[in-house]
Amino acid sequence: NAGVMQNPRHLVRRRGQEARLRCSPMKGHSHVYWYRQLPEEGLKFMVYLQKENIIDESGMPKERFSAEFPKEGPSILRIQQVVRGDSAAYFCASSPRQVSSGNTIYFGEGSWLTVV
Amino acid sequence: ILNVEQSPQSLHVQEGDSTNFTCSFPSSNFYALHWYRWETAKSPEALFVMTLNGDEKKKGRISATLNTKEGYSYLYIKGSQPEDSATYLCAFQGGAGNMLTFGGGTRLMVKP
């Protein structure tokens, strides 16, 4: 069973460009979570999506950031007009259902965004 | 803003030593506490999900305890090995279906 797959693993963008990060959840998982790790900081929640729905986006910056999880295809985290402060590792996780009754979420290996 | 604290931030031990570290979390609105092991350049790996006060879980040489009334969990590693070197993360969950709030992690380095 393939795990959570993220691509690209490394992405370099110039200031003002757009970054698109993709996440394919584990087979059978319909819930996706995006976390960000800024340099010298821990994992911070950004957004929780279920197929075609945003469940919780309380950790998402209000501007320039958006996320989707379409009926078909991977979840995409999109950052428009990137700035140097967006340089971070972005981690995706998935679960088969909402996290309850002792189950948990499973992480990908992350996508490292560098803004130059 | 939920406060999930882990201590110490980093720890160096000798091979064979036993060690433990702490995760502190809010004692109200507790649903579950998750532990992960995170090796450099890999994905965080789920270790335990703990839900009941007094819970104890064990996986090989690693075990964890939970005290929801006072808001802490301990992770223990018995007879540390170099391959145990990793960052250990805890994450608090405040309700069914809620997102996980992570602590900053404890970075463990085991010297041969």
Side-chain angles (χ1 to χ4, degrees), chain B residues 26-102:
Chain B
S27 54
S28 57
N29 298 322
F30 175 87
Y31 185 80
L33 195 282
H34 303 246
W35 279 101
Y36 286 83
R37 179 174 177 276
W38 192 6
E39 286 184 73
T40 305
K42 295 188 178 179
S43 55
E45 172 198 353
L47 285 174
F48 305 116
V49 183
M50 310 182 79
T51 54
L52 298 174
N53 185 42
D55 240 359
E56 286 191 35
K57 299 252 176 165
K58 190 174 180 183
K59 187 176 183 178
R61 292 178 292 98
I62 304 176
S63 60
T65 60
L66 180 69
N67 183 324
T68 59
K69 292 185 178 177
E70 295 182 41
Y72 65 84
S73 176
Y74 292 138
L75 190 81
Y76 300 90
I77 303 179
K78 186 177 176 183
S80 303
Q81 300 296 308
E83 58 264 30
D84 295 329
S85 297
T87 296
Y88 291 83
L89 298 170
C90 69
F92 171 84
Q93 185 183 4
N98 285 18
M99 49 77 165
L100 275 57
T101 300
F102 282 84

Side-chain angles (χ1 to χ4, degrees), chain A:
Chain A
N1 231 3
V4 177
M5 304 300 291
Q6 291 188 245
N7 71 82
R9 294 293 312 279
H10 298 274
L11 182 64
V12 179
R13 284 286 177 266
R14 294 187 185 281
R15 281 178 293 170
Q17 290 186 317
E18 179 179 284
R20 282 189 182 224
L21 309 177
R22 293 173 195 78
C23 170
S24 296
M26 287 178 73
K27 188 177 179 182
H29 287 196
S30 59
H31 295 244
V32 162
Y33 314 80
W34 284 94
Y35 282 79
R36 176 166 67 171
Q37 184 188 30
L38 292 167
E40 307 302 321
E41 293 190 19
L43 288 170
K44 303 292 184 195
F45 169 76
M46 297 182 76
V47 62
Y48 166 25
L49 309 107
Q50 200 183 348
K51 285 282 187 183
E52 300 184 278
N53 287 308
I54 295 175
I55 307 299
D56 182 349
E57 56 181 348
S58 57
M60 194 86 113
K62 298 293 180 215
E63 296 177 351
R64 304 186 296 108
F65 284 73
S66 61
E68 62 176 9
F69 188 18
K71 190 176 177 182
E72 302 291 337
S75 174
I76 296 180
L77 180 67
R78 183 182 176 207
I79 312 171
Q80 294 178 289
Q81 299 172 345
V82 296
V83 301
R84 287 224 170 104
D86 297 332
S87 296
Y90 292 83
F91 287 87
C92 173
S94 73
S95 62
R97 62 192 72 81
Q98 73 168 19
V99 183
S100 62
S101 303
N103 62 314
T104 190
I105 65 176
Y106 299 88
F107 280 88
E109 293 183 333
S111 290
W112 268 257
L113 172 66
T114 302
V115 180
V116 296

